Structures are given as C-alpha cells and as structure tokens.
C-alpha cells in the first residue's frame, strides 16, 4: 500500500520535472529585439541567471539589450523607459522589489510592448504583463521530500532548517516538502527553526537541535537552502556526528559549495534553484507574438543532484567564475 | 509709580545702581501700616511637608500682600524651594492650608496653580529656546483661525504684550538669540499674561549684569503697581534691600522671622539666616597678607583673540591676588579663558617663570601648574555622575596621565583631606557630587584644583549662587591660599569682595583692560568709577 | 587607634574600593543577574535537559555551552560598545566591521601564503582602522556619533562585498578555524576568547585611569576638557577598542563557518550589542559604565535566543517572544515601573 503511494507520487513528480524540460526544449525568436532589465549582480546565483539568459539569447539569434539595475528600482525603471523609447519587441523584467511598477508597465502596455516578469513577483495589475516566469519553490520542496522518502523508505525523523520567516521561498518549500511527507506515516518533522538562510544561522540552530533531542534519533536534516546546511554540517562535525552518514542531508539551491560538501561526503542531495529562466521567458514572448494563450505563471523547476555527479558539477559551475 | 522706560532709567542712573537702594527704602516707608490689616493675597498657615523622617517644611506661616515684593530668604536647604513647590502644586502638602484671597486652595500641578493665578519663573528659564519669542509666549494657547494657528495674530499680540514691558523686540526671532535678561522678562510676560495674581521669581538675577538687573527690577515694580504680589528668591542681599518690601527668613524648614525690609538691618538678616551672630562671620576673614617676595610667576603680554579680547597684559606673582573687575561682557571671563588655554590666543606671548610657553588646551595649562574654577559650575565644572572623590582627584589624574592611576587609598586620602580642609558637607566621599548643594559643589571644584597642586589659580565668580555661610568660607580659603604662596586671579561681580582681598585690581570694559589699581587706590568707589569712566 | 586605621587601609585599599563600588552597585547588579537566572530557569522548565552537558571528542556540548559559545561575539561587541556608550557615543558600524574583518581574514588566508597569525593581525589591524575612522569623525570633526558610525555601517558591507567579490569567501586553515571552532580544556575557544577580551579590557580601563576618564568625559565632556582631560584622545581610544572588539567577533563568526559572508556576517549585531549594554545598566547618555553587566546583558539576549531554539516554538513567534522578554526586563529595571510593586511589598511587610 505504502510503496504504491510512494511510487505514484514519485512518478507524478518526475512528470512535472519532465514537463519543465519539454518547455525549455523549444526554440525560436530569431531576429527579435528584447530588452532585459536585471536586478544586479549581488550573488553568484544572480550572475549565473544573467549568464543563462545572455547565452540563450545568443543561441536563438535574439538581439538582447541588457541592463544591470545595480539593485536600484529607479535604474530599472529608467532602463524600461529606454527600452520603450527604442521600440523593442518585448521586455523581460527581473524586478528588484514587488511594488511601484504600475506606471512604467502601463507605459509599455500603451506602446503595445509585451512584458514578461521573471524571478521575483510584482504587485501590478496582471493585465499589464503577459506572464510571469519563476522558480517553483513548492516543486523544489516536493522534490526534496520525495527524494528523502525514497532514500529512507518512508521512515525518517527530520529536523528542518527554515529560511527567513515569512519569505515566499521558505513558505513554499516548506509546503511542498510537507505535502510529500504527509503521505508517509513514518516521516515526521521533530524539530523546526529558522536559520535565516545564513550559514551562521544554520549552524546555531543545528547545534540547538543536537542538544534538544538525542542526535541518534535524527535521521535527516532538511534545509531550505544550501548555506544553512553547510552551517549545519559544521555543527554536526563538531558534535561528533558524521553528516551525510549518521544524519542524511537534503537542501535547495545547488551552489558550488554544496557540491564540494558532496565531494567530501558530507551532503547527500541538493535541489537546484534553476537559473535557466531565459528559455521559458523567450518562449513566452514568441508564443505571445504568435497569438497563443499563455498561463499567468510559468514555473521553472530545477533538477536534483547527487554526490555521483558532484565533482563534475563543481568543475562546471566554478569554471565560469 | 509712573512707568519710566527701563533703559532710560538705567541711563539716568549711570552704573550706580547701588545708590538706588536708598530710594527704595524711602519708598517702602511710604507703604501704609494699614496694609498690615489687609487680607493677604496669598497666605500659608502651618504649612508642613515631610520627606521620609525630616520636616522639609514645618508649620510655616507665610503672607504675601498684593502690590508687594516679598523676599523669601534662607540658606540652601532652608525650605524655600519646598515652600514654592507646595504653592505651585509640584508637591502635595502634608499639613496646613494655603489660602488665596482668603479661600483655601489645593493646587494639584503647576498648570493647576496657574489657573488659580500663581505663576513661577525659574532660574533655568523653562521656555523653548528654538521657538520664536511669540510662539513661546502663546505656547499651548495660540489664537487660531479656522483651526489653524493664526501666526499674524500671535505675533501682533506678543509684540503688544512685550511693549507693556517696554521691550520693543522682534518677536518672530528665536528665543535663544536674545540675552538671558530678555528671556527672563519674556518668561515673566508669559506667566503674567496667563492672568497671574502671584508671581514667583526664583533667582531671577543670577545670570544678569547690573544693567539688566535694573531693567528687571523696573519690570517687577510696574507689576506690583498693577497689584500683583511677587515672591522673590535670591542670594543677592544687596538686591533684596534694593527691591523688596518685606522679608521672610526660613531656616531648617522653619520660619525664623518676617519683617518689613526697612525695619531689618542687614546684620540681623544674616544672623537670622545663619542662626549665628554676625560678628562670628565677619571676624573669620582677616585682611590678605600678600607679599610679592617670590617674584613674577606669570607674565602675559598682548594675548588676544579676535571677537573675544583686545590685547591684554597681566603680570602676577606668587602670593599675590589680582582681582579682575568689570561688568558682565567686559572681557574678564574671556581673559581667563585665554590664560587657561581654553581658546588659543591669536597673538602675544606668555611666560611662566621666565620661560615662554604656548597653550593649546587646558591640558597644557594644567601641566604648567595652572588651574581654573570656571564661571558656569554646572556646564564647565561639575562632572555630575562621578562621586565627590572622583571629582576631586580628576584634574590631578588628568595631569598624571592615563597609566599612572592614583591608587584608591591615595584618592581617598586626598578627598578626605579636601573635604575636611574646605568643610565640604557630604555624606561621604563616594556620594555622587550631583547630590550636593551649590556651595558644596563649588567647593568640590575648588578642591579639584587644589588637589592638582597648582601654582596659579584662576577663580571665575567663585562665590556666585552660593549661600552666605559658604560665601564667607570661600573668601577665607582664597586668602589662605594666597598666604601659602599661590598666585591668584579672581573674577567677581561683588566689588566689596574684590576690594577686600585683592593686592591689585585690573578693571576691564569693552573687552580690554582699562586700568590697574594698587595699594590705597583699591576701594569700591575707585573701582566703580574706573568701570563707569568714559 | 591611628595605627589600626592605617594598617587596615594599607592592607586592603584596593579591595575596599571595589567593595564599596560593588555595594553601591549591588542593586544595579541584581536586576540583570536576576533576569539572566530567571530566563535560564525558564529555559530549563521548557526543556528539562537544558543544563545537561555531554562531552564528545573532548568537547563540551549542551545548550548552556551554546549560550556562552554563540553569545561570544555579542559579548565581545558589548564590551567595546560599553566604553563607546560611556562616552555618550554609539558605534553602529560594528556589524559592518565584522563583515570587513572577516572578509579580510578569509580572502587573505585563501589567496595568499601568509601565516595565519599574520592574517589575524592584519584583520585586527583592519578593525583598528575602522575604529580610527569612526573616532576621527567623532572626536576630531565633532560629528554626532550616531551619524558618524552610520556611514561605516552602510558603506562597510559594500567594502566587505568588494573584498569577497560578492561571494561567501570560504577557506581551509586549521589555525584560523581554531578561533571559531577550537576547543581548550573542553570549552569552545570563543568562550575563552570572550572571557579574555573582558578581562583584558577590564584591566585596561579599571587598573589605569582610563575608565575614570571615560566616565568623566561621558558625564560632562566640557568640564572634563576644562579639567585637563584629553577628551579627544579618550574618544579615539574607545572607538578603536570597539573596532578591535568587532574584528575579534568577526574572526570568530568567520572561522565558525569557515567562510566570510559579507551580506550576513554580524547583521544587526550592533543592535544586540547596544541592547546588551542598556540591559546592563549603562545609560545611553554616558557616564558610569558596567562592563560585567553588559556581558550579562549579552548573555541574556543569547539565552532568550537559545531558549527559543530548544523550545520547539514555531519560528514565526521568535521575534515576538524576544521582544516581550526584553521589554519585561527593561520594565523590571525601570524604577517608575517598579514603584507600585515596591510600595505593595512594603505595605505587606508592614502588615505582617
């Protein structure tokens, strides 16, 4: 009974992941001029996101106008106005904040320029942009939960390192993960605290977990991002626990350091927060210009990575920087 | 009494406000005896206030008549401010009654007292320095128009109000741009305009010069002419005789005496206040026995600073007291500040024992053996959070540097020695200095500088704002220090004092030295003439 | 008679001074200490194994050890902050200085061949420079401390990000790691380090005249200047000490996770440090300061934090619980708030 459920849910998840792959396999948009306003380059993930969009545009023969907003909304709004003035075919906006976009989006709409919102959301009227492309945090949580269920045959006492309280990444990843483990009566979260998405936070919270409960009863640690998990690995090592062995680990983001941890045998799996948002965004523009209907949200799902490919991924991801 | 514009009156009097006292005595003689039978405007009967186990005020009867200025006198801790705080509703009484025009009242707060018509103006003027004069006068009761403050009316009314005080100033300027005297009058105007019957003035003249004091007195007289009763608290006994009609003396929370001013000789007043005979006090001070045997200690030539002081010369020898006389603003404090390195001199030179020195800060001066008790005790002298002991040793410690820390036993020995020598009244050496009375704080600052073992001591108004007993003691200390070989420069507004102990008196006006008086030339009249001379 | 008195004084002059000071401060001491004990008891009630300590690989583990270990950076910052606040100042830049000094250490150890001891020295040197910058703005240019240190608070993280090129700069070096993760006599090294900082700073200010001069400048800087104190040098000194403390805290935080996180290292820690000082009874208006009580204040903050972690309370309540507990402590310290209770207590005692 239980195994059937497990197989079913995993199947469903794989389908979802496959679906995402199918979308990004499409091609097109050659000859279009598209403006892309990026938040900035505040993190490695942001940089690889930019790289992915630029590479995809080049591969498709799209004339991409790129603007780095240096994390300031006024820079981004100025960039958008400049795109409108240049009469681009479409605009891709990765907004730094959610509010305050209505006016400039209205200007784009008045000039019949379609806008695709990527990554973070905006509070503007949805009719002002054609669709939104972003990571599917819920899916990431589900994938993490599914892997853990499979790895422990549905029997596991989990400690959870939550992200910043109230952030959508933390809420959605928690929701997705909990949906999956709810299917297995042998899986429960025995401790849960916020580590604020930081290494120090992850380490401190993990230390307190190891003191609050008998460490031998903990089967796995589930962290809402890799940084907290890396902190937790330090805490486990200092408490004489072998991370990845005595306590399994699963986290989200797929930053280079987590692959290093996998190479060192300290981590078991990471779900990728996909930076590959260029392809689905361009696809959406093409579909819109062809007059096709678009869903209001196009989720981008990342894959899951294991120690077997860690060394290879680490090399690939650190080569660029 | 007809209202003569204050400034004109002062001009007519020259600087000889001192002689004005006689006129006041004559005037108060004109008060009819029938006033004694009148109902007092404000009366307290057996008013009592207890703090813990001590009677801060014990069964005090106090009578204020309309049209009178009533001086409330006593040493620090006599109960003056307790009485005032009971009348103005700051404290709640523990016994007795307060009657206003014969009816008992129980003011619950200063605001409540104000609605009865009792206003108080304190030494620390409680106005808002950053608001305009007009805004200050009408703060909390501005005339409005359509729910907005009508600034035009505020300004016009304020101007009209101040003109009744012969004060023709720009009411839209911020309060802090005016002198303390004008601020004081503005505070009085505000209090009186809130329908005051009783006006309480607590040390109103403490930071005023002679001219300004006369201006204030003129305002007070015009108010009594309108039928107000004024309670005056002050340490300046000369002024009491100049302005007041009646005197009540408190001591240790009890009423000692009540007299018409003209019937109370000054000696009697002082012994009432101190509870001692006057002869005891007067004899304590002998004439200074200064000799110039040891030669010049400090030689300052042409020290000056733009906007502060014109080139100024001073020679002072060990064992010599030089008095620095002049009105407020004459440059006497500025001269002291340049001599002590608080401000840097633009030119001239200073020599100590024949060696040329430059002073960049008080620290340099302290290293040369200088010391200075500044004029503004609160801002420039007292370090309120530190204990008496720490306040005493801090200058010596600063002189010794960061790492040569005085051991506790040494600190305590110095503090105890000073407490005994200067008769500082304090529970112990580790009490916070802020809990001491003004006179004792002044002594602590003096002790601080004596502990630093100076060779040259500058005292700027050493006896201001302290009570009679401490006053006499400090003058004795000054004389003793001089006989021990210290070079002393003393700034004081009290001419009788300066004349008493100085070997030489330097007279200043308009930021420069006018003349230097020596030997037999030193008496009050010559000094006064020198100040007033054109 | 005279003899007995002198012998008494010469025997124990110092301890007598301290005793007097302690007695005078005993009531001040009481409240932070009582608050800390109450919170620890509360934690124990919520989580019965709160005081359990176990030893793994010669390392003591347990919630109580965590409080001292995790609290070490705040304790160290609070020591420096106490001196700054005693001069009527404030140092808002310590969080950013942590990020800068951590970044300097991490990048140098990773990308150069320098000895870790030299790297640590350079990192602390960076803290000295940051302190000097603040001190010069405050003492020489007479800029309000709040604004002067706000500049580095805002710019500092940018500088740290420049140093780490926006990444978390990770490193592998056992000596540098020891600062955050080492064990001495079973105790995590940060605990030892924070105790050392406290003792050293205490000796530096209380066994010399510096402490007195700081209190004098904080209580009335004009009068202190008139008394011949070099108020400028005193102010420079306290900001430099604060910078050094921030550098040490930065080394601990960076070594602890083997990486310098320019965005998050020491984030908002300046506020914890200020709060610790205030709980410890040093007034923001300057003057008297209490190093030991500031440390207790820092431990109180950490005890609340650790208590919440082990309580199993949903993290959504973290901030509310922290705020409520701290508010209660501050209320307890307020004479105004205590007065009705004191009166009630007195009345009850009279009746019985």
């Amino acid at each position: 009974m239980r195994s059937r459920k497990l197989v079913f849910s995993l199947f469903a998840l794989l389908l979802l992941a496959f679906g995402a792959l199918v979308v990004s396999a499409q091609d097109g948009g050659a000859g279009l001029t598209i403006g892309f306003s990026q938040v900035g380059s505040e993190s490695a993930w942001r940089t690889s996101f930019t790289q992915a969009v630029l590479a995809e545009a080049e591969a498709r023969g799209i004339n991409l106008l790129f603007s780095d907003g240096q994390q300031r909304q006024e820079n981004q709004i100025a960039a958008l106005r400049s795109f409108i003035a240049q009469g681009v075919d479409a605009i891709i906006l990765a907004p730094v904040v959610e509010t305050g976009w209505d006016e400039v989006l209205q200007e784009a709409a008045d000039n019949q320029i379609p806008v695709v919102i990527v990554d973070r959301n905006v509070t503007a009227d949805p009719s002002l942009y054609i669709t939104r492309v972003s990571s599917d945090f819920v899916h990431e949580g589900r994938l993490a939960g599914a892997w853990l269920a499979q790895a422990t045959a549905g029997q596991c006492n989990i400690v959870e390192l939550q992200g910043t309280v109230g952030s959508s990444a933390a809420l959605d990843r928690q929701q997705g993960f909990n949906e999956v483990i709810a299917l297995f009566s042998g899986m429960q979260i025995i401790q849960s605290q916020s580590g604020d998405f930081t290494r120090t936070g992850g380490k401190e919270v993990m230390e307190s977990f190891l003191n609050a409960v008998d460490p031998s009863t903990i089967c796995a640690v589930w962290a809402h991002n890799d940084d907290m998990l890396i902190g937790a690995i330090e805490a486990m090592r200092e408490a004489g626990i072998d991370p990845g062995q005595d306590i399994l680990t699963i986290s989200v983001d797929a930053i280079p350091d987590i692959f290093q941890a996998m190479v060192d045998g300290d981590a078991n799996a990471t779900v990728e927060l996909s930076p590959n948002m260029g392809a689905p965004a361009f696809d959406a523009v093409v579909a819109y210009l062809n007059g096709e209907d678009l869903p209001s949200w196009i989720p981008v799902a990342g894959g899951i990575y294991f120690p077997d490919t860690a060394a290879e991924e680490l090399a690939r991801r650190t080569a660029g920087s | 009494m007809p209202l003569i514009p204050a400034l004109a009156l002062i001009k007519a009097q020259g600087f000889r406000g001192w002689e004005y006292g006689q006129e006041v005595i004559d005037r108060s003689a004109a008060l009819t005896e029938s006033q004694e039978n009148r109902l007092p405007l404000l009366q307290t009967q057996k008013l009592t206030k207890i703090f813990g186990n001590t009677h801060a005020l014990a069964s005090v009867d106090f009578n204020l008549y309309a049209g009178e200025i009533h001086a409330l006198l006593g040493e620090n801790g006599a109960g003056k401010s307790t009485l005032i705080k009971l009348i103005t509703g700051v404290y709640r009484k523990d016994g007795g009654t307060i009657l206003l025009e014969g009816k008992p009242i129980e003011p619950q707060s200063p605001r409540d007292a104000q609605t009865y018509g009792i206003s108080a103006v304190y030494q620390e003027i409680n106005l808002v320095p950053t608001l305009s004069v007009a805004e200050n006068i009408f703060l909390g009761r501005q005339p409005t128009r359509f729910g907005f403050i009508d600034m035009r009316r505020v300004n016009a009314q304020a101007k009209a109000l101040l003109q009744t005080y012969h004060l023709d100033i720009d009411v839209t300027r911020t309060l802090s741009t005016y002198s303390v005297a004008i601020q004081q009058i503005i505070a009085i105007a505000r209090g009186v305009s809130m329908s005051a019957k009783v006006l309480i003035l607590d040390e109103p003249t403490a930071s005023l010069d002679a001219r300004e004091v006369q201006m204030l007195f003129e305002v007070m007289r015009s108010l009594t002419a309108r039928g107000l009763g004024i309670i005056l608290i002050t340490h300046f006994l000369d002024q009491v005789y100049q302005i007041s009609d009646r005197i009540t003396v408190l001591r240790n929370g009890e009423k000692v005496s009540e007299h018409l001013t003209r019937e109370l000789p000054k000696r009697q007043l002082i012994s009432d206040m101190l509870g001692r005979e006057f002869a005891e006090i007067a004899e304590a001070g002998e004439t200074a026995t200064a000799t110039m045997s040891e030669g010049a200690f400090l030689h300052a030539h042409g020290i000056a600073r733009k906007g502060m002081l014109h080139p100024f010369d001073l020679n002072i020898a060990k064992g010599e007291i030089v008095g620095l006389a002049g009105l407020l603003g004459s440059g006497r404090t500025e001269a002291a500040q340049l001599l002590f390195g608080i401000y840097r001199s633009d030119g001239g030179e200073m020599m100590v024992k024949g060696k040329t020195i430059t002073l960049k800060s008080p620290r340099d001066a302290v290293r040369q053996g200088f010391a200075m008790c500044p004029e503004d005790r609160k801002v420039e002298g007292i370090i309120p959070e530190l204990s008496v002991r720490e306040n005493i040793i801090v200058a010596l410690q600063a002189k010794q540097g960061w790492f040569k820390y005085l051991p506790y036993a040494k600190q305590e020995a110095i503090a105890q020695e000073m407490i005994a020598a200067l008769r500082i009244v304090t529970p112990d050496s580790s009490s916070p200095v802020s809990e001491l009375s003004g006179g004792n704080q002044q002594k602590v600052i003096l002790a601080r500088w004596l502990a630093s073992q100076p060779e040259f001591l500058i005292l700027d108004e050493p006896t201001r704002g302290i009570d009679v007993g401490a006053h006499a003691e400090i003058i004795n200390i000054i004389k003793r220090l001089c006989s021990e070989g210290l070079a002393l420069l003393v700034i004081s507004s009290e001419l009788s004092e300066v004349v008493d102990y100085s070997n030489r008196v330097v007279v200043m006006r308009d930021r420069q030295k006018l003349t230097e008086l020596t030997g037999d030339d030193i008496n009050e009249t010559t000094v006064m003439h020198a100040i007033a001379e054109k | 008679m005279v003899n007995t008195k002198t012998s008494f004084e010469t025997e124990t002059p110092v301890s007598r001074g301290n005793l007097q000071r302690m007695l005078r401060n005993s009531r001040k001491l009481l409240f932070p200490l009582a608050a800390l004990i109450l919170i620890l008891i509360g934690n124990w009630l919520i989580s019965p194994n709160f005081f359990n300590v176990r030893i793994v690989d010669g390392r003591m583990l347990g919630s109580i050890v965590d409080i001292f270990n995790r609290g070490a950076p705040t304790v160290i910052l609070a020591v420096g902050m106490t001196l700054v606040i005693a001069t009527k100042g404030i140092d808002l830049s310590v969080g950013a200085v942590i990020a800068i000094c951590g970044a300097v250490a991490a990048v140098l150890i990773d990308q150069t061949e320098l000895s870790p001891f030299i790297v640590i020295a350079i990192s602390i040197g960076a803290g000295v420079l940051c302190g000097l910058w603040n001190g010069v703005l405050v003492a020489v240019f007479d800029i309000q401390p709040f604004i002067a240190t706000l500049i580095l608070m805002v710019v500092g993280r940018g500088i740290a990000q420049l140093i780490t090129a926006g990444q978390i700069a990770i490193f592998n070096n056992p000596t540098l790691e020891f600062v955050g993760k080492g064990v001495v006599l079973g105790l995590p090294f940060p605990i030892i380090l924070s105790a050392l900082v406290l003792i050293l700073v205490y000796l530096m200010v209380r066994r010399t005249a510096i402490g007195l001069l700081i209190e004098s400048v904080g209580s009335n800087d004009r009068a202190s200047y008139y008394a011949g104190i070099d108020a400028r040098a005193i102010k420079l000194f306290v900001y430099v000490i604060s910078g050094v403390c921030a550098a040490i805290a930065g080394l601990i935080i960076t070594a602890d996770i083997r990486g310098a996180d320019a965005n998050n290292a020491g984030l908002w820690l300046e506020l914890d440090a200020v709060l610790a000082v205030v709980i410890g009874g040093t007034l923001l208006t300057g003057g008297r300061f209490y190093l030991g009580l500031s440390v207790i204040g820092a431990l109180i903050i950490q005890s609340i934090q650790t208590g919440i972690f082990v309580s199993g309370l949903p993290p959504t309540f973290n901030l509310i619980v922290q705020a409520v507990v701290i508010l209660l402590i501050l209320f307890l310290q307020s004479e105004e708030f205590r007065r009705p209770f004191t009166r009630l207590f007195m009345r009850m005692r009279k009746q019985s």
Side-chain angles (χ1 to χ4, degrees), chain A residues 42-44 47 71 162 165-166 191-194 196-201 203-205 207-213 215 227 230-231 234 237-240 257 260 266, chain C residues 47 49 54 56-57 59 61-63 66 69-70 161 166-168 170 180-181 253 256-259 261 263-264 302 305-306 308-316 318:
Chain A
E42 76 279 10
S43 66
T47 314
Q71 304 191 63
Q162 295 187 26
V165 172
Q191 289 281 325
S192 175
Q193 251 301 336
S194 167
D196 264 335
F197 284 132
T198 68
R199 292 189 185 193
T200 307
K203 184 171 180 184
E204 181 175 4
V205 171
E207 275 176 2
S208 70
F209 289 166
L210 296 176
N211 289 327
V213 297
D227 277 328
I230 289 167
E234 296 282 339
R237 282 234 211 91
E238 283 170 24
D257 289 353
Q260 183 62 54
D266 292 335
Chain C
S47 159
N49 53 2
R54 58 189 198 283
V56 178
D57 304 335
R59 182 189 183 93
L61 293 171
S63 296
D66 277 1
N69 188 24
R70 287 289 142 212
Q161 274 165 353
Q167 313 283 325
I168 295 180
I170 55 165
K181 313 191 331 161
I253 290 172
D256 182 44
I257 57 166
R258 288 190 294 136
D261 184 346
N263 280 318
N264 295 308
Q302 188 58 45
Q305 177 91 54
T306 305
I308 291 171
F309 283 161
V310 297
S311 68
L313 205 69
T316 12
N318 288 5

Side-chain angles (χ1 to χ4, degrees), chain B residues 209-279:
Chain B
D209 66 23
R211 222 182 292 217
E212 293 169 331
V213 168
Q214 296 309 323
M215 191 160 113
L216 179 70
F217 284 180
E218 196 47 41
V219 167
M220 288 166 66
R221 287 196 193 98
S222 73
L223 289 173
T224 53
R226 291 190 208 170
L228 260 77
I230 296 178
I231 303 174
L232 172 70
I233 298 175
T234 181
H235 278 107
F236 300 102
L237 300 188
D238 288 347
Q239 294 177 359
V240 168
Y241 279 96
Q242 195 188 333
I243 188 81
S244 74
D245 303 305
R246 192 182 294 271
I247 295 173
T248 289
V249 178
L250 298 179
R251 193 172 68 234
N252 298 331
E254 289 173 26
K255 177 168 162 181
V256 179
S257 65
E258 180 183 341
H259 293 281
L260 285 176
T261 307
R262 65 187 142 96
E263 289 169 0
L264 180 65
K266 198 166 172 182
R267 286 171 157 243
Q268 182 60 44
L269 170 62
I270 293 177
S271 30
D272 279 357
M273 288 170 69
L274 297 181
R276 283 187 274 163
E277 283 306 309
F278 185 71

Side-chain angles (χ1 to χ4, degrees), chain B residues 278-418:
Chain B
F278 185 71
E280 294 173 38
I281 313 157
E283 268 171 31
E286 287 165 23
T287 14
T289 54
T291 47
M292 307 221 339
S293 55
E294 288 189 53
F297 171 75
L298 172 73
H299 170 82
H301 178 72
I303 58 162
R305 189 177 164 95
K306 218 180 154 195
M308 271 181 81
L309 187 69
H310 296 300
F312 178 85
D313 298 344
L314 181 77
N315 291 309
I316 190 162
K318 296 193 107 183
E320 191 185 22
I321 303 182
V322 174
L324 204 49
L327 297 174
L328 208 67
S330 61
R332 36 179 219 190
T333 295
E334 290 77 1
Q337 286 174 333
L338 288 190
L339 286 172
F340 196 58
I342 289 167
Y343 296 100
R344 289 185 72 167
S345 173
D346 289 339
E349 57 166 5
M350 280 172 84
M351 289 167 88
V352 169
K353 294 180 193 161
K355 274 190 208 152
T356 305
I357 56 159
T358 28
L359 302 178
K360 289 185 210 139
S361 68
R363 204 155 59 102
D364 294 342
V366 169
R367 287 194 183 141
Q368 295 294 339
F370 291 16
M372 181 171 100
C373 296
E375 180 184 14
D376 191 334
R377 183 172 61 225
K378 234 188 209 164
V379 175
E380 296 162 347
I382 281 304
I383 299 164
E385 281 203 42
L386 299 192
S387 67
V388 171
R389 167 171 38 82
E390 288 164 325
N391 264 285
I392 289 175
I393 59 106
V394 75
L396 176 61
Q397 183 64 67
K399 199 175 182 178
Q400 293 210 344
W402 290 11
F403 299 106
K404 265 187 160 174
Y405 191 33
L406 292 165
Y408 178 80
K410 182 98 187 281
Q411 292 186 13
E412 186 62 23
I414 293 172
Q416 291 302 347
E417 192 193 325
M418 287 296 164

Side-chain angles (χ1 to χ4, degrees), chain A residues 24 36 38 45-46 48-54 56 60 92-94 116-120 132-137 140 273-284 297-301:
Chain A
S24 66
F36 173 39
Q38 175 62 288
W45 182 81
R46 184 70 59 186
S48 53
F49 168 15
T50 306
Q51 298 289 321
V53 174
L54 294 177
E56 183 74 24
R60 292 180 182 220
I92 295 172
L93 169 65
V116 177
I117 307 291
V118 294
D119 190 29
R120 294 173 191 165
R132 175 174 166 240
V133 174
S134 72
S135 302
D136 186 349
F137 296 139
E140 289 160 7
L273 170 68
S274 176
N276 301 317
M277 288 191 239
F282 293 139
D283 289 340
W297 177 44
I298 300 171
V300 180

Side-chain angles (χ1 to χ4, degrees), chain C residues 38-50:
Chain C
L38 278 178
I39 290 167
L40 290 178
I41 290 174
N43 286 347
W44 175 65
L45 291 176
I46 292 165
S47 159
N49 53 2
F50 191 80

